[in-house]
Amino acid sequence: MKQDLSLRQGRRDDRVEGTSSLGVAIVTGVLDGYLGPVGIRLWDNRLAAGSPHSKCIVVFREPWALRDLVLYRDLTRLAEAYLIGAVEVEGDLEALFDLDSYLTQLRMPVLDRLRLGLCALQLPRRSDRRSGNQANRRTTRRANSRASIAHHYDMGNDFYGLWLDPEYVYSCAYFRHPDQSLAEAQQEKLDYICRKLRLTPGQSVLDIGCGWGALALWAARHYGVCVHGITLSARQYEFAAERVKNAGLAEQIEIELMDYRELDNGERYDRIVSIGMFEHVGVRNFGRYFETVLERLKPGGLFLNHGITSSTDWRRTPLTGFINRYIFPDGELARLSVVTDAMEQSGFELLDIESLRPHYALTLRQWVSALEKNHKAAIDMTSAATYKLWRLYMAGSAHYFREGSIGVYQVLAGCARCPLSVPLRRDDLYAAREF
């Protein structure tokens, strides 16, 4: 009996040794010449690339995860393996995406690729084909619907509260310097938007996609305007409405659970603003979206659109499939030129365009840091897979904002052929202000 157990254990050790050797051959072949911050450790604890002190170490706990990555070259499979624990990431998760940049540019001879494929085929297949993330339902694309918004935003206000600033601003902050606190930088951002809109007491403001009410509250409290905020998220609506009531600003702010396409045709506003909602509109809906906004804007009014853009065709990137499956079911990014062309075609005159790309990378790093500090609470509120998903999503986004594949722009516009509502110079945007 003991001899049989010893023989079985020996065969198991031989198999592990054999798969590990294959793994080393694969990693060495792919990463030959790679000098970046990512190391690779295999299922037998063997370091196949990098050093023990690498900034980030990817740990393949299951051979099939490496097999799938080589054979299918689909980063979504690697992400799903991470979500279920077949792959772990130690250290700085943002640094992991340096490896993606390297692999994207990698060009290997056909014979080398064939050799690596043959090595991968010898690794064990995945025996359990369950979805990589049962805690986060897979979704199909929807046309900017309440269901798709709920998929992202209705996870629970307390979950977002673990890593957002006290104002609950879920878009990039506006930093004076990289070490500024997130809370201060988000207040700077809210005030900066109000300045760009040149808000004055008594004006009416429409906030499309008002979130948890941060901008509406700031504008009403500090600029004396009346705000109509709309959102498709029931959780956000309840939270924002309660904040307005507690702040004693119910006379100035109205929050509604409403689609922008359901707005009263007769209502007109002095100012319209949309922060971080535009990504859900969809390129094919740009015309209708901007025409609807223009119809709701008074002559001489101003519209500020703050949204994320892509420098490439959004539909063709591996990142797209992962984000649309797990994060934003209907999310779609476009080039800035596509956005501005749609605005002009709809009757807007562009008055000011500003990139805030470096600010979003800084914001995301602070969000990731806060989430990691509160990882236990995040897991208790949701699940381990959800925590991993959001950590991966935000760290990856920080990398791509820093690298430049995605950007974020504030576009200020007015009605074409109308009197301008902005001064000759931009000095007023930078004047010192206490709040």
Side-chain angles (χ1 to χ4, degrees):
M1 177 69 73
K2 289 182 179 180
Q3 186 176 11
D4 290 343
L5 289 173
S6 178
L7 284 172
R8 283 198 294 269
Q9 181 63 46
R11 289 169 186 157
R12 188 178 301 116
D13 292 342
D14 289 342
R15 286 197 298 271
V16 170
E17 174 65 27
T19 58
S20 181
S21 297
L22 289 168
V24 170
I26 290 171
V27 172
T28 302
V30 172
L31 298 186
D32 181 35
Y34 175 70
L35 301 175
V38 181
I40 307 292
R41 196 162 68 237
L42 301 179
W43 39 92
D44 66 344
N45 214 33
R46 185 187 304 191
L47 195 65
S51 76
H53 307 294
S54 293
K55 192 174 183 180
C56 171
I57 296 180
V58 180
V59 183
F60 284 91
R61 299 203 178 282
E62 298 290 345
W64 62 256
L66 182 59
R67 181 185 194 275
D68 281 8
L69 182 61
V70 173
L71 295 180
Y72 298 101
R73 290 184 289 177
D74 183 353
L75 292 179
T76 300
R77 289 176 177 264
L78 181 63
E80 290 179 346
Y82 166 71
L83 295 179
I84 64 172
V87 171
E88 295 292 348
V89 181
E90 299 175 355
D92 184 351
L93 190 59
E94 183 181 338
L96 167 66
F97 293 86
D98 176 81
L99 193 59
D100 176 43
S101 299
Y102 169 82
L103 294 175
T104 300
Q105 299 172 20
L106 181 63
R107 298 292 181 269
M108 297 182 67
V110 173
L111 288 178
D112 288 348
R113 281 185 284 150
L114 180 61
R115 178 177 56 81
L116 292 176
L118 291 174
C119 287
L121 284 170
Q122 298 177 63
L123 292 174
R125 293 174 178 270
R126 180 179 178 181
S127 58
D128 180 1
R129 302 306 304 176
R130 293 175 301 172
S131 168
N133 184 12
Q134 296 182 3
N136 292 275
R137 53 198 181 281
R138 292 189 179 196
T139 60
T140 55
R141 285 178 63 87
R142 302 181 178 89
N144 190 211
S145 67
R146 282 181 170 84
S148 60
I149 297 301
H151 174 84
H152 185 88
Y153 294 102
D154 287 356
M155 293 180 59
N157 299 324
D158 290 341
F159 172 73
Y160 286 95
L162 293 175
W163 45 274
L164 289 179
D165 66 295
E167 303 287 345
Y168 273 72
V169 181
Y170 187 32
S171 58
C172 77
Y174 188 59
F175 291 85
R176 288 186 179 273
H177 52 80
D179 296 325
Q180 186 177 20
S181 72
L182 180 63
E184 290 179 353
Q186 289 292 18
Q187 289 185 345
E188 297 261 15
K189 183 260 193 68
L190 294 173
D191 205 68
Y192 192 45
I193 290 171
C194 293
R195 294 190 199 195
K196 280 193 173 182
L197 288 167
R198 273 76 183 191
L199 297 184
T200 58
Q203 288 180 331
S204 58
V205 179
L206 172 64
D207 185 358
I208 302 175
C210 65
W212 290 278
L215 180 60
L217 289 161
W218 189 272
R221 184 181 293 122
H222 295 280
Y223 288 84
V225 297
C226 295
V227 185
H228 181 196
I230 61 174
T231 177
L232 287 179
S233 166
R235 295 284 186 89
Q236 287 185 335
Y237 161 73
E238 294 165 0
F239 191 88
E242 186 67 21
R243 291 180 75 186
V244 169
K245 178 182 176 182
N246 293 340
L249 292 171
E251 294 297 316
Q252 288 178 253
I253 303 174
E254 179 186 14
I255 305 294
E256 287 194 274
L257 187 64
M258 177 186 291
D259 192 299
Y260 73 91
R261 292 163 288 199
E262 300 169 349
L263 287 163
D264 182 355
N265 288 332
E267 189 72 26
R268 298 290 183 272
Y269 302 87
D270 296 299
R271 302 289 187 264
I272 299 179
V273 60
S274 178
I275 309 298
M277 169 271 182
F278 181 67
E279 298 84 348
H280 300 284
V281 170
V283 174
R284 68 182 181 278
N285 299 318
F286 279 4
R288 180 179 181 182
Y289 171 69
F290 288 125
E291 288 168 6
T292 300
V293 172
L294 189 64
E295 289 170 358
R296 304 295 179 269
L297 192 62
K298 292 180 181 179
L302 292 174
F303 166 51
L304 189 144
N305 190 77
H306 172 118
I308 301 173
T309 62
S310 175
S311 65
T312 59
D313 187 339
W314 174 249
R315 291 165 292 184
R316 294 183 180 178
T317 65
L319 179 66
T320 303
F322 180 77
I323 289 181
N324 285 152
R325 180 176 296 172
Y326 290 110
I327 305 294
F328 292 108
D330 61 0
E332 185 177 13
L333 306 183
R335 296 177 185 271
L336 176 64
S337 58
V338 175
V339 178
T340 55
D341 182 63
M343 294 180 75
E344 290 182 321
Q345 291 289 339
S346 299
F348 279 107
E349 177 182 357
L350 307 182
L351 305 175
D352 188 279
I353 300 176
E354 183 176 6
S355 169
L356 300 181
R357 180 168 66 84
H359 297 271
Y360 223 143
L362 292 171
T363 303
L364 283 155
R365 288 184 191 123
Q366 293 215 30
W367 285 347
V368 171
S369 177
L371 178 64
E372 289 173 344
K373 288 177 182 176
N374 292 288
H375 70 277
K376 186 179 185 305
I379 292 171
D380 290 343
M381 288 179 187
T382 56
S383 67
T386 298
Y387 166 74
K388 286 185 173 184
L389 175 65
W390 281 80
R391 182 172 173 244
L392 180 68
Y393 156 61
M394 293 196 292
S397 296
H399 167 83
Y400 290 112
F401 273 111
R402 176 179 58 81
E403 179 259 352
S405 295
I406 50 178
V408 59
Y409 289 88
Q410 289 184 350
V411 181
L412 184 69
C415 306
R417 294 176 293 280
C418 282
L420 299 181
S421 300
V422 294
L424 291 174
R425 292 168 52 119
R426 306 172 84 248
D427 299 0
D428 60 314
L429 297 181
Y430 308 115
R433 175 177 167 84
E434 296 292 333
F435 46 81

